[in-house]
Amino acid sequence: MSAVEVAVSVVDLPSVEATPLAALFDDHELVCVDDDPDGQRAGIYLGATYTSTRGGVGAVASEHLPALLREVAPGATWLAWEEPYEEFLGTVALHAPDLGTWTGECDSSGAVYVPADSLPRLDTVLADPATVAAVTGLAWRDRITTLHRTVAAGPPTSGFVSTTRPICAEWNRPAGLIYIDDPAEGTQLVHAPPGPARGGISEQMARSATAALRQAGWQVMPAAVAGAPWAPDGHTVHVAQVYRPTPHAPAA
């Protein structure tokens, strides 16, 4: 029995969310034909189909994969599906930030399948036209189709969102300094509010450190792909995975 294939296609993606999404794809072994099999992932191809056999039955139907996608890339528009299994149809989830997520049945290519007996009655449609979209996912499908066409009609660069590699940041709380070993520019220092040498990181302290990093051009990786940030590493140091939203050229 072959493994159930899971697929994801992203059609719109803020650049600041590309690196966490790439990390999620790496964790789930989601790849597309344009990826370099011998190199590190350089970015996300919009409109491409990323597939994996690692997800297994229920990865989409159980909301496991859609929930992760929303957490690491809340501003992205995408569809994710798992192929039919035995006598059951597949499950597809379509998401746009302003529409939310719609889930339904699909074939092996991710095309939505709506049984005739699931369609609303004519009098229901006349009373509330939105019921058609709710049952068929029409608004989500139209949005994704439009974005697919936009990507296809644009220059090649518009269909590729670059990523960077996450690196470790060490926060020395008593000194109020975050050290980032940037392979491109060398060690970077970010000033954060100092704190006591011992004890846990409060939510307010974590927010302050995150704000300081953002002001310096860094983002903290989401917990879904990097674990909880600011884990203790010794008596006074706490660590987190950080990244620059886009490839950062060294200063002249």
Side-chain angles (χ1 to χ4, degrees):
M1 183 179 297
S2 61
V4 173
E5 190 169 85
V6 175
V8 178
S9 180
V10 181
V11 293
D12 190 40
L13 176 65
S15 60
V16 71
E17 298 172 2
T19 294
L21 184 63
L24 177 65
F25 280 13
D26 288 343
D27 287 347
H28 288 74
E29 299 176 6
L30 283 156
V31 296
C32 75
V33 295
D34 294 316
D35 282 331
D36 180 0
D38 299 321
Q40 293 182 335
R41 194 187 302 273
I44 302 295
Y45 293 92
L46 299 181
T49 299
Y50 288 80
T51 61
S52 173
T53 56
R54 184 179 169 187
V57 178
V60 176
S62 68
E63 264 287 297
H64 172 69
L65 183 57
L68 288 174
L69 289 167
R70 288 192 299 268
E71 181 173 348
V72 303
T77 300
W78 47 263
L79 65 157
W81 69 95
E82 57 186 83
E83 65 181 6
Y85 179 69
E86 295 183 347
E87 72 273 20
F88 300 100
L89 287 166
T91 301
V92 62
L94 297 82
H95 179 82
D98 60 325
L99 297 176
T101 305
W102 181 88
T103 303
E105 294 179 313
C106 69
D107 63 15
S108 59
S109 67
V112 173
Y113 173 78
V114 181
D117 58 5
S118 297
L119 294 173
R121 293 165 51 91
L122 179 59
D123 55 346
T124 302
V125 174
L126 292 175
D128 183 8
T131 56
V132 174
V135 172
T136 65
L138 186 61
W140 289 262
R141 292 155 64 186
D142 285 348
R143 175 72 59 81
I144 288 171
T145 298
T146 298
L147 289 170
H148 258 296
R149 290 172 178 167
T150 300
V151 170
T157 53
S158 68
F160 183 77
V161 186
S162 299
T163 60
T164 56
R165 303 300 296 180
I167 54 181
C168 183
E170 298 183 353
W171 180 12
N172 186 308
R173 285 198 297 166
L177 292 173
I178 300 175
Y179 297 84
I180 303 171
D181 189 13
D182 188 341
E185 298 183 14
T187 301
Q188 305 289 300
L189 291 179
V190 176
H191 292 270
R198 298 181 181 275
I201 299 290
S202 68
E203 185 176 342
Q204 182 177 357
M205 292 175 64
R207 284 199 302 265
S208 297
T210 298
L213 285 165
R214 285 179 177 170
Q215 189 173 6
W218 297 91
Q219 295 281 336
V220 176
M221 287 287 284
V225 291
W230 307 124
D233 184 28
H235 293 299
T236 63
V237 174
H238 292 254
V239 297
Q241 292 291 308
V242 300
Y243 68 99
R244 286 203 186 275
T246 55
H248 185 73

